[in-house]
Structure formats: C-alpha cells, structure tokens
Amino acid sequence: SRAFALPKAFAVGVVLVACCPGGTASNIVSYLARADVPLSVMMTTVSTAGAVLMTPLLTKVFAGTLVPVNAGAMLWSTAQIVLLPVLVGAFANTTFPRTTAKISKVTPVYAVLMVAVVCASVVSRNVETIVSAGAGLFASLVGLHAGGFLLGYLISRRTGGSERVARTTSIEVGMQNSALGCVLATLHFADPMTAAPAAISACIHSVLGSTLAGLWRATDAKKG
C-alpha cells in the first residue's frame, strides 16, 4: 500500500483484505485446478474459525498505526458473521434434514448474489475515488493475491508437499473472504472507501484463481 502511495482508507482496506481468512470460492477453484478438495475445505474451515480472533488482532497490529481499530468490537462482529451461520446451519441440518436438503439447492446461488450485491454496493458508492486511485489500488491488490498464490505454492513444494497439496495451499493463501472484509470495513471504519479494496479484491482473486486453475488443467492435459 505504501509502495503505491494509496490513500489511508484504501491502505487500511488492503490490510483488512490480507487479514481475512480463505474464501469458500477457493474450494470451487481447487476442484477446477484438480487440487485436493477435502484439504481445501478443511483449510478454509480452520482459517475461518481462526479468523474470529486473528482477523481483528492482525488488523489492529498492521492497520492500527493508520486509523483507530476497535479489535474487541471487530471480534464480536466476526464471530457473528462467521460462526452464527455455521451454528444455525448445523442446527437446521440436524433438526430439519429434509427441509434443509431442499433449501440447500438454492442457497449457493443466493449466497453468490448477496456477495455480488454487497460488492456492487460498495463500488458504486466510491466510483470516482476508485477511478482516481485506479492503477495503484489495482496493482496493490494484484500483488497481494499473486504473491499469496506464488508463496503458497513455492513454500508447500519446498517443504515436501505434493503437486496437489501445493496447488491447494496456493489457492487457499491467494484467495481471501472478501465479503467478510467488505462487511467489517463497513461496520468498523468511518471512511466508506475502506470497503472498496475488499469489493475489488473479490473480482481480482476470482479471476487470478480461475486463470491459474485453467493453466494447471492445461498442464495436466499435456502430461496425459
């Protein structure tokens, strides 16, 4: 963020995105990339549970020098956003399995639409500012996600991980829960521009992840 001289609000937003856990879209990309899907789901689950504590803490550490960060309030919001739906879903699936099975056919589409609405709402309110910061904001987010993909893959391979495990780690590190970042930025930071990086991040990491998955599949096809 400092390298691209981003406005303070955008810098905080980029930090917040980096502190968010892996997003559920990473599971789909892992499937497309022929990575280890069960491992992807487990990593997403663990990072999401850990985010209740780590996202507020890391945001406080890295963004607290730029703006005031109420880590306690953010922790409570993260717990509500992350844990409450899981608990409600587990209860519904246990208590009303047939009804839940019917509803689950449409809930993924609903979830995607809600994320799109949240991101579109954030971007539409900050169009002029985003355009003015354009190249710097875009480059910082591309660098964040591309660095995550690259480091996740290389570190996994260097530490003895298989190709499938390395792909999975790369995807999990490179893709963040941008919707969580949007909501937390909206709730806990006065400047509405703070949510813009998370909204744009959702598009960037999806495009990069899907492109990477396509390249890996093409590589596998060549190998036969």
Side-chain angles (χ1 to χ4, degrees), residues 35-120:
D36 192 329
V37 177
L39 176 61
S40 174
V41 172
M42 184 182 71
M43 292 176 72
T44 301
T45 302
V46 172
S47 67
T48 300
V52 174
L53 176 63
M54 295 308 298
T55 294
L57 176 62
L58 292 174
T59 304
K60 175 73 173 179
V61 171
F62 293 110
T65 57
L66 298 174
V67 295
V69 177
N70 188 335
M74 188 177 289
L75 186 151
W76 176 238
S77 295
T78 307
Q80 291 177 298
I81 296 167
V82 169
L83 295 183
L84 186 58
V86 174
L87 295 176
V88 172
F91 173 79
N93 194 44
T94 303
T95 310
F96 312 104
R98 293 183 180 178
T99 304
T100 304
K102 294 179 181 179
I103 296 174
S104 64
K105 296 178 181 180
V106 298
T107 48
V109 176
Y110 177 77
V112 171
L113 289 175
M114 288 301 98
V115 171
V117 168
V118 169
C119 293

Side-chain angles (χ1 to χ4, degrees), residues 92-181:
N93 194 44
T94 303
T95 310
F96 312 104
R98 293 183 180 178
T99 304
T100 304
K102 294 179 181 179
I103 296 174
S104 64
K105 296 178 181 180
V106 298
T107 48
V109 176
Y110 177 77
V112 171
L113 289 175
M114 288 301 98
V115 171
V117 168
V118 169
C119 293
S121 173
V122 171
V123 172
S124 64
R125 285 180 292 169
N126 300 282
V127 172
E128 293 182 2
T129 310
I130 291 172
V131 171
S132 65
L137 178 58
F138 182 80
S140 65
L141 289 170
V142 169
L144 171 67
H145 292 296
F149 284 118
L150 180 62
L151 289 175
Y153 184 86
L154 292 179
I155 292 174
S156 183
R157 291 295 282 171
R158 291 294 179 125
T159 54
S162 66
E163 175 66 19
R164 290 186 71 209
V165 170
R167 291 182 185 183
T168 307
T169 307
S170 171
I171 292 165
E172 289 298 321
V173 176
M175 301 183 72
Q176 272 70 46
N177 190 335
S178 300
L180 174 62

